[in-house]
Amino acid sequence: MTGAEMVVRALKDQGVAHIFGYPGGAVLPIYDALFQNEGPEHVLVRHEQGATHMAEGYARSTGKPGVVLVTSGPGATNAVTGLTDALMDSIPMVCITGQVPTHLIGSDAFQECDTVGITRPCTKHNYLVKDVNDLAQVLHEAFYVATNGRPGPVVVDIPKDVQFATGAYVGPENVVHKTYHPKLKGDADKIRAAVELLAGAKKPILYTGGGVINSGDRATALLRELAEVTGAPVTSTLMGLGCYPASGPQWLGMLGMHGTYEANHAMHDCDVMVCIGARFDDRITGRLDLFSPGSRKIHIDIDPAQINKNVKVEVGVIGDVAHVLEDMLAVWRASNAKLDAEALKDWWQEIDRWRARNCLAYRPSGETIKPQQAIERLYELTKGPNTYITTEVGQHQMWAAQYYKFEEPNRWMTSGGLGTMGYGMPAAVGVQVAHPDALVIDIAGEASIQMCIQELSTAIQYKLPIKIFILNNEYMGMVRQWQQLLHGSRYSNSYSEALPDFVKLAEAYGATGLRCVEPGDLDATIRAMIETPGPVVVDCLVDKMENVTPMIPSGRAHNDMLLGDASEDRIENAISDEGKMLV
């Protein structure tokens, strides 16, 4: 068969149901093969960055790899942001790119670029296929690499003449990767050492991340079991929300720069920290020499490169979270391990004192919608197992993480490591494609939503009823907050001037637009959003100067947080005491 036909056949053999793409000259043979052969459903995007974010949302909500198809040159370069985003957040993706014919490579041909060179730093692996007889194997390998071990994006660059050429197809059952075999089972001695260290803890904490969710439902069930048998408190990174239920008695909330007071203080004061599927990111650790200085640390991660990369640990267990937790629980039970009951009781009493600070409290207003209030009401009116939340990036993202409570994994899609404005709306499209009967809501800001607003056209074309809930404060909110706190309230280019009328913009695309200005209208507007068929854009005008708190200022430790009950003057003074600090 032709190379183009091999691509379609390989996608079918890999169980791919949907691909997100945009046609162009260098991939027209593949598009022709899609037209002539019954294969995956193609979703036409409006920009290649949108395709990659759709694939991310699809993958994050299903656990299956997202698939992207774009042309050469600008098609490939437009995909770079989404590829980098997927690499940072460990999202499985296979991106197929067209390339100029092999004899033109290096000649600066029309729409040529060095796709392999450009994407090498932002992919888990990439390929340039120059022989049609290698194509099928490479495609199957790409899916294997993208989904095994620490997930990530893989690029397969296919020259146009290879797409036209004919060769022999091999199925996935005949493909075995020669060198890449990630370790799933943890070392038995290290697992015993981890259990022994945890069992001797007086102040334990379970620090969880996106790796728990990537490991699958079995991993989240085992994490919850570990929490129950140990009685240890549980906190999570931004990417790990939902791996432990927000309603669970041991839940401390999210940790990190905008985490809860109790989670951050518990991280700082614990004596044994069990890091499960997280990578000690700088937004979690803050200043490294002040990070949890009195604790002994256990790190469980499938990526060997993460062990002792940012933070030195006493026990590093390399393996898949589900496998390692299963073995840890088996050793725990076999050894009749138990934590010191009295010490654990004292630890929880200390945590309860931190909880009593009620760090997420805010002052409501009868005249202006507070963004925290908007998210609280959105949660109360939309919560349920069939609701999926995506976000853009900024203040609204942090408020969503703080106030929308997630009970299950794979219901929360956000850009963590790269912090990509424009992620949320196309991600919502990808989630809705995967879950057509679900309620999918993108919590957005008025600045971020404009980054990929054109993908609203894709939602209209495919009748995808995504809901876009904009917290409109007329500022690039997080930029303004830092300028207020760190740069003497000099708001350089952070005010969103010349904003569109989002209601009219929604209507121009063929969607429904709603606006909410008064706090008393919030519930009715949210209900109307839910009940209105098709895509809906809600322009919710919120307090312009509200800041995200709690906050760990740059250069501070976890136990040195700024809370929302402090006045703005006190916050500014607290930061200026240390002089100018960069976030």
Side-chain angles (χ1 to χ4, degrees):
M1 62 179 70
T2 68
E5 291 169 334
M6 288 183 189
V7 171
V8 177
R9 176 67 180 273
L11 294 176
K12 291 171 66 176
D13 286 351
Q14 288 291 337
V16 175
H18 298 91
I19 58 177
F20 304 92
Y22 199 90
V27 283
L28 285 184
I30 298 175
Y31 273 88
D32 192 49
L34 281 170
F35 186 86
Q36 296 189 65
N37 296 274
E38 186 178 346
E41 180 183 349
H42 181 274
V43 177
L44 178 65
V45 305
R46 299 307 187 261
H47 189 283
E48 290 87 355
Q49 180 181 343
T52 54
H53 295 328
M54 289 178 197
E56 287 186 275
Y58 187 98
R60 187 69 174 171
S61 66
T62 63
K64 301 174 182 177
V67 180
V68 174
L69 176 60
V70 298
T71 194
S72 63
T77 57
N78 282 346
V80 164
T81 298
L83 291 170
T84 311
D85 195 272
L87 182 69
M88 293 283 279
D89 287 345
S90 305
I91 308 298
M93 182 195 302
V94 174
C95 180
I96 299 168
T97 61
Q99 185 54 274
V100 301
T102 51
H103 67 278
L104 291 178
I105 292 177
S107 70
D108 293 333
F110 177 67
Q111 290 194 333
E112 181 195 359
C113 73
D114 180 5
T115 300
V116 167
I118 290 170
T119 62
R120 185 173 287 119
C122 65
T123 55
K124 186 177 178 182
H125 194 56
N126 60 14
Y127 301 85
L128 171 61
V129 185
K130 293 185 175 181
D131 185 340
V132 70
N133 291 302
D134 297 332
L135 180 57
Q137 172 148 338
V138 166
L139 287 164
H140 297 312
E141 277 191 13
F143 279 90
Y144 173 83
V145 172
T147 56
N148 282 269
R150 180 182 177 183
V154 177
V155 163
V156 181
D157 197 31
I158 312 174
K160 194 169 184 178
D161 57 327
V162 174
Q163 298 172 41
F164 278 123
T166 57
Y169 177 81
V170 295
E173 64 278 359
N174 299 318
V175 174
V176 178
H177 201 283
K178 294 179 182 178
T179 59
Y180 184 57
H181 302 288
K183 185 179 180 183
L184 300 181
K185 296 278 287 184
D187 181 84
D189 289 340
K190 291 188 175 180
I191 287 174
R192 282 194 290 272
V195 169
E196 184 178 339
L197 184 56
L198 178 58
K202 306 292 185 183
K203 298 180 176 182
I205 191 167
L206 304 181
Y207 152 39
T208 62
V212 180
I213 294 173
N214 283 342
S215 186
D217 291 344
R218 178 68 178 148
T220 57
L222 289 166
L223 168 67
R224 297 172 186 207
E225 192 175 341
L226 180 65
E228 184 177 355
V229 299
T230 61
V234 184
T235 184
S236 171
T237 67
L238 182 72
M239 298 304 295
L241 295 177
C243 66
Y244 185 85
S247 62
Q250 291 154 251
W251 176 240
L252 303 186
M254 183 178 72
L255 77 155
M257 177 176 278
H258 293 295
T260 66
Y261 189 80
E262 53 266 33
N264 283 327
H265 274 257
M267 284 285 283
H268 186 272
D269 287 3
C270 70
D271 65 349
V272 174
M273 176 188 299
V274 187
C275 175
I276 309 171
R279 55 187 178 86
F280 292 102
D281 173 74
D282 65 290
R283 291 289 160 128
I284 298 303
T285 63
R287 184 171 158 180
L288 281 171
D289 63 338
L290 298 178
F291 174 67
S292 193
S295 70
R296 304 177 73 189
K297 300 171 183 69
I298 300 163
H299 190 183
I300 301 168
D301 204 295
I302 199 165
D303 183 0
Q306 297 303 317
I307 306 295
N308 293 318
K309 178 180 178 180
N310 296 328
V311 171
K312 181 173 174 53
V313 299
E314 277 65 34
V315 181
V317 185
I318 300 168
D320 177 73
V321 166
H323 287 80
V324 173
L325 290 184
E326 187 171 34
D327 290 343
M328 281 185 69
L329 282 163
V331 172
W332 184 275
R333 291 193 171 94
S335 60
N336 292 316
K338 287 184 180 179
L339 291 173
D340 183 324
E342 280 301 312
L344 189 62
K345 181 180 177 182
D346 292 342
W347 179 225
W348 274 109
Q349 287 177 346
E350 192 171 359
I351 290 171
D352 286 339
R353 285 194 292 272
W354 293 324
R355 278 176 166 170
R357 295 296 296 270
N358 196 13
C359 68
L360 295 180
Y362 62 92
R363 294 189 183 98
S365 168
E367 299 177 356
T368 306
I369 298 173
K370 292 290 185 176
Q372 303 95 321
Q373 176 191 16
I375 301 298
E376 282 184 333
R377 295 314 303 156
L378 183 70
Y379 167 72
E380 289 298 333
L381 295 170
T382 64
K383 62 184 177 182
N386 206 32
T387 298
Y388 294 78
I389 301 296
T390 71
T391 76
E392 310 293 333
V393 168
Q395 285 182 317
H396 62 274
Q397 176 191 31
M398 294 298 103
W399 282 316
Q402 291 173 335
Y403 293 93
Y404 204 101
K405 302 177 179 65
F406 295 94
E407 299 294 311
E408 300 295 334
N410 305 108
R411 302 303 193 275
W412 164 251
M413 276 59 61
T414 196
S415 174
L418 193 62
T420 306
M421 293 175 70
Y423 168 92
M425 203 255 278
V429 170
V431 175
Q432 194 78 76
V433 167
H435 307 277
D437 297 325
L439 175 60
V440 182
I441 305 170
D442 172 31
I443 298 174
E446 85 291 333
S448 279
I449 192 62
Q450 295 184 79
M451 290 281 187
C452 289
I453 190 68
Q454 69 280 347
E455 302 309 332
L456 189 54
S457 182
T458 299
I460 294 293
Q461 178 177 343
Y462 293 92
K463 298 179 173 60
L464 302 170
I466 63 170
K467 314 301 181 185
I468 301 166
F469 191 76
I470 302 172
L471 298 184
N472 185 347
N473 57 14
E474 298 183 2
Y475 277 97
M476 299 174 205
M478 194 62 80
V479 174
R480 182 209 56 75
Q481 178 169 334
W482 289 352
Q483 288 173 335
Q484 178 188 353
L485 301 181
L486 302 175
H487 299 283
S489 297
R490 294 180 292 276
Y491 302 126
S492 177
N493 290 282
S494 56
Y495 182 63
S496 298
E497 295 188 60
L499 282 174
D501 182 326
F502 287 108
V503 172
K504 290 182 179 178
L505 185 59
E507 292 169 350
Y509 274 104
T512 300
L514 303 172
R515 180 171 288 114
C516 186
V517 180
E518 302 293 335
D521 295 335
L522 254 178
D523 283 18
T525 304
I526 293 170
R527 288 193 181 98
M529 177 190 76
I530 299 167
E531 296 165 3
T532 301
V536 179
V537 177
V538 175
D539 184 16
C540 182
L541 275 61
V542 299
D543 190 317
K544 294 180 175 58
M545 301 302 289
E546 191 76 7
N547 286 333
V548 179
T549 56
M551 179 180 177
I552 303 175
S554 181
R556 299 291 185 87
H558 277 68
N559 64 343
D560 191 6
M561 298 187 73
L562 305 176
L563 299 184
D565 57 356
S567 71
E568 299 301 333
D569 287 339
R570 283 178 59 193
I571 291 176
E572 289 180 351
N573 290 337
I575 294 177
S576 63
D577 286 345
E578 301 262 345
K580 184 178 179 182
M581 291 182 287
L582 299 179
V583 175

